[in-house]
Amino acid sequence: MIDFMKFDVMLFDDVIANVDLKPLESDKPYVINYIEGFNKQFSPNPEGYITKVELEKWLKWRVFPETRVNADQLLAALGLNSYNRWAIIRKTHGVMADDEIWLRFKGETLKHRDVTLRKSLYYPDDKKDLSN
C-alpha cells in the first residue's frame, strides 16, 4: 500500500531526503536531509521539523503554476477537475522537465527512468518493447 504521508526526495535513484508529513509525535512535517547544498537540499537543517509553510514553499516548485496557459489541459490529462498542488504531486511525483529531482512515496518501487519526462535524454539506450 502506498503511504502518501511519507516520501523520499530522490535525485535520480538516490534518496536525498526523507519526509514524514504526519509524524506521531508532532503536527509538523519531519525531514531528514542526506545531502547539503542550496539547490537540492529539502530544508535548511540536516534533520528536524519544518513548518507547513516551508513545506508548501518547496512543493510549489514541484508543480506547474496555476496561472500556466494550458493549466486546464494539464489538469485534465492528470484526471483532475481543479488545481490542487498536493493532488498534482501525487500524480506526477513532483517531476519537472528541468531537473532530476522527484518524489517516491513510501511503498513505491519506482526508479527515475519510470517517472522522468525526458527518458530519451537520460536513457537513450532504452528500447520500447514493440512486440505487444
Side-chain angles (χ1 to χ4, degrees), residues 1-7 105-108:
M1 181 165 106
I2 297 173
D3 182 350
F4 290 108
M5 294 295 107
K6 296 179 182 180
F7 58 88
F105 297 99
K106 184 176 179 181
E108 292 181 323

Side-chain angles (χ1 to χ4, degrees), residues 72-130:
D72 288 340
Q73 294 162 321
L74 293 171
L75 291 172
L78 294 171
L80 300 173
N81 296 323
S82 62
Y83 189 90
N84 177 301
R85 189 173 291 136
W86 187 241
I88 294 167
I89 285 175
R90 287 175 55 177
K91 297 265 187 173
T92 65
H93 291 86
V95 172
M96 303 301 289
D98 58 354
D99 70 16
E100 300 80 24
I101 295 175
W102 59 285
L103 307 180
R104 182 173 60 194
F105 297 99
K106 184 176 179 181
E108 292 181 323
T109 58
L110 295 171
K111 299 285 186 186
H112 180 257
R113 71 177 359 109
D114 300 322
V115 299
T116 185
L117 298 174
R118 297 184 177 186
K119 193 171 289 205
S120 63
L121 174 67
Y122 295 113
Y123 307 101
D125 294 333
D126 279 4
K127 305 285 186 233
K128 291 185 179 181
D129 183 2
L130 301 176

Side-chain angles (χ1 to χ4, degrees), residues 5 7 18-23 25-32 42-43 46-50:
M5 294 295 107
F7 58 88
N18 298 119
V19 180
D20 186 346
L21 297 178
K22 296 196 179 227
E25 59 279 354
S26 177
D27 64 345
K28 290 183 178 181
Y30 192 82
V31 176
I32 302 171
F42 189 88
S43 62
E47 182 173 352
Y49 295 100
I50 62 170

Side-chain angles (χ1 to χ4, degrees), residues 29-44:
Y30 192 82
V31 176
I32 302 171
N33 286 294
Y34 299 109
I35 65 166
E36 293 180 16
F38 178 76
N39 287 346
K40 296 182 175 47
Q41 191 170 338
F42 189 88
S43 62

